[in-house]
PDB file of all heavy atoms in Angstrom:
ATOM      1  N   TYR H 212      83.341  92.174  97.083  1.00 94.00           N
ATOM      2  CA  TYR H 212      81.970  92.563  97.054  1.00 94.00           C
ATOM      3  C   TYR H 212      81.101  91.376  96.746  1.00 94.00           C
ATOM      4  O   TYR H 212      80.073  91.188  97.135  1.00 94.00           O
ATOM      5  CB  TYR H 212      81.824  93.733  95.986  1.00 94.00           C
ATOM      6  CG  TYR H 212      82.007  95.148  96.631  1.00 94.00           C
ATOM      7  CD1 TYR H 212      82.834  95.948  96.019  1.00 94.00           C
ATOM      8  CD2 TYR H 212      81.182  95.560  97.671  1.00 94.00           C
ATOM      9  CE1 TYR H 212      83.108  97.260  96.565  1.00 94.00           C
ATOM     10  CE2 TYR H 212      81.464  96.804  98.152  1.00 94.00           C
ATOM     11  CZ  TYR H 212      82.308  97.642  97.559  1.00 94.00           C
ATOM     12  OH  TYR H 212      82.550  98.973  98.114  1.00 94.00           O
ATOM     13  N   ASP H 213      81.695  90.552  95.805  1.00 89.00           N
ATOM     14  CA  ASP H 213      80.864  89.232  95.215  1.00 89.00           C
ATOM     15  C   ASP H 213      80.780  88.240  96.342  1.00 89.00           C
ATOM     16  O   ASP H 213      79.690  88.016  96.890  1.00 89.00           O
ATOM     17  CB  ASP H 213      81.664  88.843  94.017  1.00 89.00           C
ATOM     18  CG  ASP H 213      80.926  87.734  93.300  1.00 89.00           C
ATOM     19  OD1 ASP H 213      79.717  87.444  93.750  1.00 89.00           O
ATOM     20  OD2 ASP H 213      81.377  87.239  92.377  1.00 89.00           O
ATOM     21  N   SER H 214      81.828  87.759  96.858  1.00 84.00           N
ATOM     22  CA  SER H 214      81.935  86.553  97.585  1.00 84.00           C
ATOM     23  C   SER H 214      81.769  86.971  99.109  1.00 84.00           C
ATOM     24  O   SER H 214      81.296  86.124  99.885  1.00 84.00           O
ATOM     25  CB  SER H 214      83.108  85.747  97.444  1.00 84.00           C
ATOM     26  OG  SER H 214      83.118  85.244  96.147  1.00 84.00           O
ATOM     27  N   GLY H 215      82.279  88.097  99.574  1.00 88.00           N
ATOM     28  CA  GLY H 215      82.257  88.499 100.898  1.00 88.00           C
ATOM     29  C   GLY H 215      81.033  89.256 101.422  1.00 88.00           C
ATOM     30  O   GLY H 215      80.450  88.924 102.426  1.00 88.00           O
ATOM     31  N   LEU H 216      80.725  90.209 100.599  1.00 91.00           N
ATOM     32  CA  LEU H 216      79.593  91.125 100.988  1.00 91.00           C
ATOM     33  C   LEU H 216      78.331  90.816 100.190  1.00 91.00           C
ATOM     34  O   LEU H 216      77.176  91.425 100.611  1.00 91.00           O
ATOM     35  CB  LEU H 216      79.978  92.643 100.827  1.00 91.00           C
ATOM     36  CG  LEU H 216      81.216  93.007 101.588  1.00 91.00           C
ATOM     37  CD1 LEU H 216      81.651  94.495 101.237  1.00 91.00           C
ATOM     38  CD2 LEU H 216      80.770  92.938 103.130  1.00 91.00           C
ATOM     39  N   HIS H 217      78.358  90.062  99.163  1.00 85.00           N
ATOM     40  CA  HIS H 217      77.243  89.665  98.336  1.00 85.00           C
ATOM     41  C   HIS H 217      76.568  90.886  97.758  1.00 85.00           C
ATOM     42  O   HIS H 217      75.344  90.980  97.783  1.00 85.00           O
ATOM     43  CB  HIS H 217      76.269  88.740  99.075  1.00 85.00           C
ATOM     44  CG  HIS H 217      76.910  87.481  99.732  1.00 85.00           C
ATOM     45  ND1 HIS H 217      77.450  86.491  99.067  1.00 85.00           N
ATOM     46  CD2 HIS H 217      77.238  87.165 101.061  1.00 85.00           C
ATOM     47  CE1 HIS H 217      78.001  85.595  99.764  1.00 85.00           C
ATOM     48  NE2 HIS H 217      77.812  86.026 101.028  1.00 85.00           N
ATOM     49  N   ASN H 218      77.359  91.761  97.328  1.00 91.00           N
ATOM     50  CA  ASN H 218      76.768  92.995  96.721  1.00 91.00           C
ATOM     51  C   ASN H 218      77.063  92.908  95.208  1.00 91.00           C
ATOM     52  O   ASN H 218      78.096  93.210  94.688  1.00 91.00           O
ATOM     53  CB  ASN H 218      77.484  94.293  97.316  1.00 91.00           C
ATOM     54  CG  ASN H 218      76.827  95.610  96.820  1.00 91.00           C
ATOM     55  OD1 ASN H 218      76.337  95.643  95.711  1.00 91.00           O
ATOM     56  ND2 ASN H 218      77.000  96.587  97.660  1.00 91.00           N
ATOM     57  N   VAL H 219      75.977  92.331  94.525  1.00 90.00           N
ATOM     58  CA  VAL H 219      76.162  92.109  93.047  1.00 90.00           C
ATOM     59  C   VAL H 219      76.467  93.319  92.200  1.00 90.00           C
ATOM     60  O   VAL H 219      77.393  93.397  91.385  1.00 90.00           O
ATOM     61  CB  VAL H 219      74.951  91.381  92.563  1.00 90.00           C
ATOM     62  CG1 VAL H 219      74.940  91.256  91.070  1.00 90.00           C
ATOM     63  CG2 VAL H 219      74.694  90.050  93.204  1.00 90.00           C
ATOM     64  N   ALA H 220      75.843  94.528  92.497  1.00 93.00           N
ATOM     65  CA  ALA H 220      75.959  95.652  91.820  1.00 93.00           C
ATOM     66  C   ALA H 220      77.446  96.180  91.879  1.00 93.00           C
ATOM     67  O   ALA H 220      78.102  96.538  90.829  1.00 93.00           O
ATOM     68  CB  ALA H 220      75.100  96.733  92.157  1.00 93.00           C
ATOM     69  N   MET H 221      78.030  96.158  93.145  1.00 96.00           N
ATOM     70  CA  MET H 221      79.366  96.659  93.329  1.00 96.00           C
ATOM     71  C   MET H 221      80.370  95.680  92.694  1.00 96.00           C
ATOM     72  O   MET H 221      81.495  96.089  92.229  1.00 96.00           O
ATOM     73  CB  MET H 221      79.631  96.926  94.641  1.00 96.00           C
ATOM     74  CG  MET H 221      78.906  98.147  95.277  1.00 96.00           C
ATOM     75  SD  MET H 221      79.213  99.673  94.380  1.00 96.00           S
ATOM     76  CE  MET H 221      80.929  99.981  94.896  1.00 96.00           C
ATOM     77  N   ALA H 222      80.050  94.421  92.841  1.00 95.00           N
ATOM     78  CA  ALA H 222      80.872  93.287  92.329  1.00 95.00           C
ATOM     79  C   ALA H 222      81.066  93.567  90.784  1.00 95.00           C
ATOM     80  O   ALA H 222      82.125  93.533  90.113  1.00 95.00           O
ATOM     81  CB  ALA H 222      80.396  92.056  92.615  1.00 95.00           C
ATOM     82  N   ARG H 223      79.954  93.735  90.126  1.00 95.00           N
ATOM     83  CA  ARG H 223      79.835  93.880  88.651  1.00 95.00           C
ATOM     84  C   ARG H 223      80.662  95.132  88.384  1.00 95.00           C
ATOM     85  O   ARG H 223      81.442  95.038  87.184  1.00 95.00           O
ATOM     86  CB  ARG H 223      78.452  93.904  88.266  1.00 95.00           C
ATOM     87  CG  ARG H 223      78.250  94.173  86.682  1.00 95.00           C
ATOM     88  CD  ARG H 223      76.778  94.081  86.271  1.00 95.00           C
ATOM     89  NE  ARG H 223      76.288  92.711  86.414  1.00 95.00           N
ATOM     90  CZ  ARG H 223      76.496  91.804  85.576  1.00 95.00           C
ATOM     91  NH1 ARG H 223      77.166  92.022  84.470  1.00 95.00           N
ATOM     92  NH2 ARG H 223      75.935  90.585  85.752  1.00 95.00           N
ATOM     93  N   LYS H 224      80.519  96.191  89.128  1.00 97.00           N
ATOM     94  CA  LYS H 224      81.299  97.436  88.739  1.00 97.00           C
ATOM     95  C   LYS H 224      82.716  97.251  88.638  1.00 97.00           C
ATOM     96  O   LYS H 224      83.356  97.741  87.743  1.00 97.00           O
ATOM     97  CB  LYS H 224      80.776  98.509  89.725  1.00 97.00           C
ATOM     98  CG  LYS H 224      81.710  99.709  89.650  1.00 97.00           C
ATOM     99  CD  LYS H 224      81.218 100.802  90.853  1.00 97.00           C
ATOM    100  CE  LYS H 224      82.202 101.980  90.702  1.00 97.00           C
ATOM    101  NZ  LYS H 224      81.838 102.974  91.791  1.00 97.00           N
ATOM    102  N   TYR H 225      83.153  96.525  89.720  1.00 97.00           N
ATOM    103  CA  TYR H 225      84.722  96.434  89.731  1.00 97.00           C
ATOM    104  C   TYR H 225      85.247  95.349  88.838  1.00 97.00           C
ATOM    105  O   TYR H 225      86.455  95.373  88.380  1.00 97.00           O
ATOM    106  CB  TYR H 225      85.157  96.185  91.202  1.00 97.00           C
ATOM    107  CG  TYR H 225      85.222  97.530  91.965  1.00 97.00           C
ATOM    108  CD1 TYR H 225      84.041  97.965  92.637  1.00 97.00           C
ATOM    109  CD2 TYR H 225      86.305  98.334  91.882  1.00 97.00           C
ATOM    110  CE1 TYR H 225      84.177  99.242  93.276  1.00 97.00           C
ATOM    111  CE2 TYR H 225      86.333  99.550  92.481  1.00 97.00           C
ATOM    112  CZ  TYR H 225      85.255  99.940  93.081  1.00 97.00           C
ATOM    113  OH  TYR H 225      85.327 101.193  93.747  1.00 97.00           O
ATOM    114  N   TYR H 226      84.336  94.280  88.526  1.00 96.00           N
ATOM    115  CA  TYR H 226      84.772  93.371  87.491  1.00 96.00           C
ATOM    116  C   TYR H 226      84.934  94.050  86.193  1.00 96.00           C
ATOM    117  O   TYR H 226      85.845  93.863  85.407  1.00 96.00           O
ATOM    118  CB  TYR H 226      83.812  92.169  87.446  1.00 96.00           C
ATOM    119  CG  TYR H 226      83.853  91.218  88.508  1.00 96.00           C
ATOM    120  CD1 TYR H 226      82.750  90.490  88.969  1.00 96.00           C
ATOM    121  CD2 TYR H 226      85.070  90.951  89.301  1.00 96.00           C
ATOM    122  CE1 TYR H 226      82.748  89.662  90.107  1.00 96.00           C
ATOM    123  CE2 TYR H 226      85.155  89.970  90.307  1.00 96.00           C
ATOM    124  CZ  TYR H 226      84.028  89.409  90.740  1.00 96.00           C
ATOM    125  OH  TYR H 226      83.981  88.465  91.733  1.00 96.00           O
ATOM    126  N   GLU H 227      83.872  94.874  85.865  1.00 97.00           N
ATOM    127  CA  GLU H 227      84.038  95.533  84.566  1.00 97.00           C
ATOM    128  C   GLU H 227      85.113  96.585  84.457  1.00 97.00           C
ATOM    129  O   GLU H 227      85.717  96.817  83.521  1.00 97.00           O
ATOM    130  CB  GLU H 227      82.590  96.263  84.277  1.00 97.00           C
ATOM    131  CG  GLU H 227      81.477  95.432  84.120  1.00 97.00           C
ATOM    132  CD  GLU H 227      80.043  96.059  84.108  1.00 97.00           C
ATOM    133  OE1 GLU H 227      80.056  97.248  84.420  1.00 97.00           O
ATOM    134  OE2 GLU H 227      79.124  95.433  83.569  1.00 97.00           O
ATOM    135  N   LYS H 228      85.409  97.192  85.713  1.00 98.00           N
ATOM    136  CA  LYS H 228      86.518  98.132  85.780  1.00 98.00           C
ATOM    137  C   LYS H 228      87.821  97.554  85.531  1.00 98.00           C
ATOM    138  O   LYS H 228      88.723  98.032  84.843  1.00 98.00           O
ATOM    139  CB  LYS H 228      86.496  98.824  87.117  1.00 98.00           C
ATOM    140  CG  LYS H 228      87.494 100.029  87.324  1.00 98.00           C
ATOM    141  CD  LYS H 228      87.390 100.660  88.506  1.00 98.00           C
ATOM    142  CE  LYS H 228      88.234 101.910  88.715  1.00 98.00           C
ATOM    143  NZ  LYS H 228      88.144 102.592  89.999  1.00 98.00           N
ATOM    144  N   THR H 229      87.919  96.227  86.000  1.00 97.00           N
ATOM    145  CA  THR H 229      89.154  95.411  85.666  1.00 97.00           C
ATOM    146  C   THR H 229      89.387  95.193  84.266  1.00 97.00           C
ATOM    147  O   THR H 229      90.513  95.282  83.724  1.00 97.00           O
ATOM    148  CB  THR H 229      89.183  94.058  86.585  1.00 97.00           C
ATOM    149  OG1 THR H 229      88.807  94.353  87.907  1.00 97.00           O
ATOM    150  CG2 THR H 229      90.309  93.302  86.292  1.00 97.00           C
ATOM    151  N   ILE H 230      88.298  94.838  83.667  1.00 97.00           N
ATOM    152  CA  ILE H 230      88.333  94.568  82.173  1.00 97.00           C
ATOM    153  C   ILE H 230      88.702  95.846  81.362  1.00 97.00           C
ATOM    154  O   ILE H 230      89.522  95.828  80.451  1.00 97.00           O
ATOM    155  CB  ILE H 230      87.067  93.939  81.797  1.00 97.00           C
ATOM    156  CG1 ILE H 230      86.821  92.547  82.308  1.00 97.00           C
ATOM    157  CG2 ILE H 230      86.978  93.836  80.190  1.00 97.00           C
ATOM    158  CD1 ILE H 230      85.350  91.952  82.173  1.00 97.00           C
ATOM    159  N   GLU H 231      88.033  96.916  81.745  1.00 97.00           N
ATOM    160  CA  GLU H 231      88.345  98.168  81.078  1.00 97.00           C
ATOM    161  C   GLU H 231      89.637  98.725  81.283  1.00 97.00           C
ATOM    162  O   GLU H 231      90.473  99.131  80.296  1.00 97.00           O
ATOM    163  CB  GLU H 231      87.304  99.261  81.633  1.00 97.00           C
ATOM    164  CG  GLU H 231      87.508 100.573  81.020  1.00 97.00           C
ATOM    165  CD  GLU H 231      86.637 101.710  81.713  1.00 97.00           C
ATOM    166  OE1 GLU H 231      85.751 101.330  82.593  1.00 97.00           O
ATOM    167  OE2 GLU H 231      86.832 102.798  81.466  1.00 97.00           O
ATOM    168  N   LEU H 232      90.214  98.708  82.453  1.00 97.00           N
ATOM    169  CA  LEU H 232      91.490  99.329  82.829  1.00 97.00           C
ATOM    170  C   LEU H 232      92.624  98.411  82.429  1.00 97.00           C
ATOM    171  O   LEU H 232      93.747  98.864  82.148  1.00 97.00           O
ATOM    172  CB  LEU H 232      91.622  99.799  84.328  1.00 97.00           C
ATOM    173  CG  LEU H 232      90.644 100.823  84.672  1.00 97.00           C
ATOM    174  CD1 LEU H 232      90.818 101.069  86.143  1.00 97.00           C
ATOM    175  CD2 LEU H 232      90.804 101.966  83.887  1.00 97.00           C
ATOM    176  N   TYR H 233      92.440  97.079  82.643  1.00 97.00           N
ATOM    177  CA  TYR H 233      93.547  96.100  82.371  1.00 97.00           C
ATOM    178  C   TYR H 233      93.075  95.056  81.454  1.00 97.00           C
ATOM    179  O   TYR H 233      93.097  93.857  81.790  1.00 97.00           O
ATOM    180  CB  TYR H 233      93.932  95.535  83.803  1.00 97.00           C
ATOM    181  CG  TYR H 233      94.299  96.711  84.787  1.00 97.00           C
ATOM    182  CD1 TYR H 233      93.332  97.029  85.741  1.00 97.00           C
ATOM    183  CD2 TYR H 233      95.395  97.386  84.626  1.00 97.00           C
ATOM    184  CE1 TYR H 233      93.610  98.042  86.656  1.00 97.00           C
ATOM    185  CE2 TYR H 233      95.756  98.448  85.547  1.00 97.00           C
ATOM    186  CZ  TYR H 233      94.738  98.733  86.581  1.00 97.00           C
ATOM    187  OH  TYR H 233      95.111  99.691  87.419  1.00 97.00           O
ATOM    188  N   PRO H 234      92.745  95.289  80.159  1.00 97.00           N
ATOM    189  CA  PRO H 234      92.156  94.324  79.345  1.00 97.00           C
ATOM    190  C   PRO H 234      92.986  93.190  78.959  1.00 97.00           C
ATOM    191  O   PRO H 234      92.384  92.115  78.639  1.00 97.00           O
ATOM    192  CB  PRO H 234      91.899  95.240  78.063  1.00 97.00           C
ATOM    193  CG  PRO H 234      92.845  96.309  78.122  1.00 97.00           C
ATOM    194  CD  PRO H 234      93.056  96.675  79.503  1.00 97.00           C
ATOM    195  N   ASN H 235      94.286  93.200  78.957  1.00 93.00           N
ATOM    196  CA  ASN H 235      95.074  92.135  78.491  1.00 93.00           C
ATOM    197  C   ASN H 235      95.872  91.369  79.575  1.00 93.00           C
ATOM    198  O   ASN H 235      97.056  91.055  79.449  1.00 93.00           O
ATOM    199  CB  ASN H 235      96.102  92.612  77.397  1.00 93.00           C
ATOM    200  CG  ASN H 235      95.451  93.275  76.213  1.00 93.00           C
ATOM    201  OD1 ASN H 235      94.569  92.597  75.704  1.00 93.00           O
ATOM    202  ND2 ASN H 235      95.898  94.344  75.834  1.00 93.00           N
ATOM    203  N   THR H 236      95.067  91.357  80.641  1.00 95.00           N
ATOM    204  CA  THR H 236      95.790  90.661  81.853  1.00 95.00           C
ATOM    205  C   THR H 236      95.011  89.413  82.306  1.00 95.00           C
ATOM    206  O   THR H 236      93.923  89.108  81.918  1.00 95.00           O
ATOM    207  CB  THR H 236      95.825  91.611  82.941  1.00 95.00           C
ATOM    208  OG1 THR H 236      94.397  91.909  83.487  1.00 95.00           O
ATOM    209  CG2 THR H 236      96.461  92.905  82.675  1.00 95.00           C
ATOM    210  N   PHE H 237      95.717  88.553  83.189  1.00 94.00           N
ATOM    211  CA  PHE H 237      95.044  87.459  83.684  1.00 94.00           C
ATOM    212  C   PHE H 237      93.777  87.898  84.541  1.00 94.00           C
ATOM    213  O   PHE H 237      92.770  87.130  84.512  1.00 94.00           O
ATOM    214  CB  PHE H 237      96.023  86.760  84.679  1.00 94.00           C
ATOM    215  CG  PHE H 237      95.307  85.716  85.558  1.00 94.00           C
ATOM    216  CD1 PHE H 237      95.142  84.507  85.071  1.00 94.00           C
ATOM    217  CD2 PHE H 237      95.170  86.040  86.903  1.00 94.00           C
ATOM    218  CE1 PHE H 237      94.620  83.458  85.905  1.00 94.00           C
ATOM    219  CE2 PHE H 237      94.600  85.120  87.745  1.00 94.00           C
ATOM    220  CZ  PHE H 237      94.365  83.898  87.250  1.00 94.00           C
TER     221      PHE H 237
END
């Protein structure tokens, strides 16, 4: 969403989801 579709809102949503669901990962 970020680099391919340039959709900042959706990119932010899934970046935040990554941190929420998998907090102690690379």
